[in-house]
Amino acid sequence: MGHISRRGQKGPDVPQGSHSARKVAGDTVITVAERLVSQAAQFVIFILAARTLGPAEFGIFALASACAMLLHQAAEAGWAPFILSRSGDETVPLQVLFIAIISGIGFGFLGGGAALVAGRFGLTADLVALLLYFALWVALATAWSAQKGVMVWMGRLKAAAWCEIAGEMVGLGVACAALVGGAGVFALVYGRIACQTVSLILGFATTRRAPRTGMARPVMHELWVFSSLIFSSRMLVNLRLHFVTLIIGAFLGPAAVGFYRAAERLVGAVWELITVPGQLLAWTQLRRARDSGPPEERGMRVNLQVARHLKMVVVLGAPLMLWLILLSGQIVGGLLGAEWQPVAALVAILAAGRLLMLMGILTEPLMSLMGAVRRLPGYMAAVFGVSVALTFAAAPYGVLPLAWSQFVLAILVLGATIWLFTRYAGIRWAPVLNALRGAVLPVACGTASIAALDLAAAGHGVPDLVAAVAFGLIGAAVQFGAILVFDRSFGMELLEIFRPTPPPKGATS
C-alpha cells in the first residue's frame, strides 16, 4: 500500500522491515530473469536466422538496425531517468510519459521520411521498407522506455519485468514464425515490433494511468536540462564502446575484430545480468533513502543505502565476473568451439576490467538523485578522452595489449568514480568499506572453490560447458555457506527474504 500525497495521489510504495528485504529480493530475481529471457530469446532468433538468411540479408538488417538504434537513443533522451529521479505525486512522471510518446512519434516520422528520401536517391526498396518498419519500432520503443520508468517509479518493478518478459516471448514467437514462413530479414523487425507493442499494452493495462499534458514551464526547463545532460553522457559511453571496435578494424583487421567482439559479447551478456537489475534497484532504493526522512539526514540515509547496495552488487556480481575470469577457456570452448580459443584470454581480461567497474552501476542514479547530474557529461568526456588515448597507444601491438589497455582504463575509472562520489555526492567511505568487509571472505571462498575444482578436473575429460556451469553453481553454494558462517547477520537477512510472510493477526487459513 503506497503512501498518499497531499494531492491525494498514490505515491511509490515504501516497504519496511523484512517485507522491504523480500521486495528487494523479489525485484532482483525478476529483473535478472527478465534479462535471462531476453538474452535467450535473442540467441534463439539469431541461431534460426543464421540458418535461414544469407550474409547479404544479415548485412541489410545490420545497417537498418544500426540506424534505428541511433535514432532511438536520440528519441529516448533522458525521459526515464528524469521520471525515476522525481519526488511527489504522479503528475510530472505522466507528463514526461506524454512528451516521450510525442518524441518517439516525431523521431519515427523523421526516420521514415529520411528513408523515403533516400529511396529517391537509389536506396533499394527492401532497405527503405525495412527502415520504415524500424521507424515504427523507434516510436514504440521510446514510449515503452518511459512507461517502464513510470512503472518503476510507482514501485511496480516486478510488473514492468513481467511485461517485458511477455513482450520478449511474443516477439520470439512472431520472429520465428515469420522466419519459417519465408518473411526473410523482415521477420526480425516484425519480432521487435511485436515485443514492444505487447510490453507497452501490458504496461498501460497494469498502471491504468494515461499520459498527461500541461507541464509547467519551470518543470519543462528542468526536464530539458536534465535530459540533455543524461543524453550527452550516454552518447559518450556508446561512442567509447564502438570506438574501440573501429580502431581494432583499422589497425588489426577483421579477424581481430571478430575475436574482440565475441569476447565483448560474452562478457557483456553476463554484465547485463548485474547492471540492469543493479541500476534499476539503485534508482528505487536511493530515491526512497533520499526522500524517506528529515532533509538534514538525507546524506546519511543515502550514504548507508550506497553501502548496502554496493555490498549486494559485490556479493551477487563479483562472483559472476570471477567465474568468467577463472573458467573463460571452458566457457569459450563450450559455447563457440575450439577455433575460438584465442577469445578466452580476452574474456578474462575484459571481465577483470568490468569487475573493477562494479561501482559504476551507481554513477547515473546517485549523481542524478543528489542533484549533481551536471557533472556527468564532463566526467564521461574525460573517460572517453583517456580511453581514446589508451586505445591508440595499445592497438598497434595487438588485440591482447588493447584489452589490457581497457583494464588500465577500468583502474582509472574506479579512482575517478570514488573521487566523483566523494566530491559531488557527499559519500563517506567508512560505512561503505565496513559493509564490503563482510563480503570479501565469502566471495574469496566461492572463488577458491571454483579454482580448486577446475584444477582437480584437469585432464579428466569433463565437457567444457558442463564443467563451467557445475563449478559455478558449486562455487555459489560455497559462497552462500560462507556468508552464513562469516557474515551471519547478512546471511540471516538473506534467509529472511525467502521465508513466507506470516499472515496478519486474526486472519484465517
Side-chain angles (χ1 to χ4, degrees):
M1 192 73 181
H3 69 272
I4 304 298
S5 71
R6 291 186 214 174
R7 299 189 187 182
Q9 301 290 349
K10 184 177 179 182
D13 292 331
V14 185
Q16 303 294 331
S18 62
H19 175 66
S20 175
R22 291 190 187 95
K23 178 170 174 56
V24 172
D27 290 346
T28 302
V29 169
I30 193 63
T31 49
V32 170
E34 182 269 314
R35 283 294 90 196
L36 284 170
V37 169
S38 177
Q39 296 282 354
Q42 291 173 24
F43 184 75
V44 170
I45 292 172
F46 171 77
I47 294 299
L48 183 58
R51 294 175 178 270
T52 307
L53 307 176
E57 287 182 295
F58 264 125
I60 292 174
F61 180 80
L63 176 60
S65 179
C67 294
M69 287 303 299
L70 290 174
L71 198 63
H72 173 51
Q73 286 180 5
E76 190 178 31
W79 312 132
F82 186 80
I83 290 169
L84 292 170
S85 69
R86 299 297 295 183
S87 302
D89 66 16
E90 63 188 20
T91 301
V92 171
L94 293 177
Q95 289 171 338
V96 177
L97 175 59
F98 176 79
I99 292 171
I101 292 172
I102 297 301
S103 174
I105 293 173
F107 276 94
F109 273 112
L110 179 65
L116 292 173
V117 170
R120 297 274 186 174
F121 290 91
L123 198 67
T124 64
D126 281 349
L127 188 51
V128 170
L130 195 61
L131 287 170
L132 290 175
Y133 279 115
F134 266 118
L136 173 60
W137 172 82
V138 167
L140 293 169
T142 304
W144 167 242
S145 175
Q147 174 64 13
K148 184 177 180 180
V150 170
M151 296 178 74
V152 174
W153 180 89
M154 289 179 167
R156 309 294 296 275
L157 195 150
K158 286 183 185 177
W162 280 118
C163 291
E164 200 144 16
I165 288 172
E168 290 286 356
M169 290 293 94
V170 172
L172 172 63
V174 168
C176 291
L179 281 168
V180 172
V185 72
F186 287 92
L188 305 181
V189 74
Y190 294 161
R192 291 195 184 188
I193 290 173
C195 173
Q196 299 297 340
T197 301
V198 170
S199 297
L200 191 58
I201 291 172
L202 291 176
F204 278 114
T206 300
T207 62
R208 299 183 182 180
R209 299 289 195 278
R212 296 184 185 178
T213 59
M215 180 177 286
R217 284 190 178 183
V219 181
M220 180 71 77
H221 176 72
E222 184 183 355
L223 172 64
W224 171 254
V225 172
F226 183 95
S227 297
S228 62
L229 292 170
I230 291 290
F231 170 74
S232 58
S233 63
R234 287 183 173 182
M235 282 301 294
L236 285 166
V237 171
N238 287 317
L239 283 173
R240 178 174 67 83
L241 294 174
H242 292 298
F243 178 79
V244 175
T245 303
L246 294 174
I247 293 301
I248 293 173
F251 279 94
L252 304 175
V257 172
F259 285 134
Y260 193 87
R261 286 295 297 164
E264 272 195 332
R265 189 68 190 91
L266 285 174
V267 175
V270 177
W271 182 244
E272 277 193 23
L273 298 178
I274 306 167
T275 56
V276 173
Q279 195 165 68
L280 280 177
L281 289 167
W283 277 107
T284 57
Q285 297 301 312
L286 289 174
R287 178 163 54 83
R288 286 194 181 105
R290 183 194 67 179
D291 299 339
S292 62
E296 63 272 15
E297 297 177 1
R298 183 183 71 168
M300 180 186 67
R301 293 193 305 272
V302 170
N303 209 140
L304 291 175
Q305 184 57 48
V306 166
R308 177 181 174 79
H309 199 78
L310 278 178
K311 182 171 184 177
M312 292 297 294
V313 166
V314 168
V315 167
L316 299 176
L320 287 172
M321 290 297 109
L322 291 166
W323 172 71
L324 278 177
I325 295 168
L326 291 173
L327 301 180
S328 58
Q330 290 90 327
I331 295 168
V332 170
L335 289 176
L336 303 180
E339 68 273 18
W340 287 91
Q341 274 304 314
V343 172
L346 296 175
V347 167
I349 297 168
L350 294 176
R354 297 293 178 93
L355 178 64
L356 295 176
M357 298 178 77
L358 282 172
M359 190 183 299
I361 292 172
L362 290 173
T363 300
E364 186 177 287
L366 178 63
M367 299 301 288
S368 300
L369 291 166
M370 296 304 286
V373 68
R374 291 179 178 274
R375 306 296 174 182
L376 286 179
Y379 170 74
M380 294 301 178
V383 172
F384 177 74
V386 174
S387 175
V388 169
L390 289 172
T391 300
F392 270 117
Y397 300 100
V399 71
L400 273 176
L402 194 144
W404 279 115
S405 77
Q406 300 308 298
F407 179 78
V408 173
L409 177 67
I411 296 174
L412 298 175
V413 168
L414 174 61
T417 303
I418 292 172
W419 172 83
L420 190 74
F421 287 8
T422 305
R423 177 74 183 272
Y424 297 109
I427 297 301
R428 297 179 180 273
W429 294 100
V432 176
L433 294 175
N434 186 55
L436 291 178
R437 185 176 57 186
V440 172
L441 190 55
V443 171
C445 289
T447 304
S449 66
I450 293 175
L453 288 167
D454 184 34
L455 186 62
H460 286 74
V462 182
D464 285 340
L465 203 55
V466 172
V469 173
F471 297 169
L473 292 174
I474 293 171
V478 170
Q479 177 181 319
F480 184 72
I483 289 174
L484 292 177
V485 173
F486 298 112
D487 193 1
R488 186 169 178 78
S489 61
F490 185 60
M492 296 307 294
E493 183 179 335
L494 292 177
L495 288 175
E496 180 68 21
I497 289 169
F498 301 101
R499 289 177 182 165
T501 305
K505 291 182 179 180
T508 58
S509 59

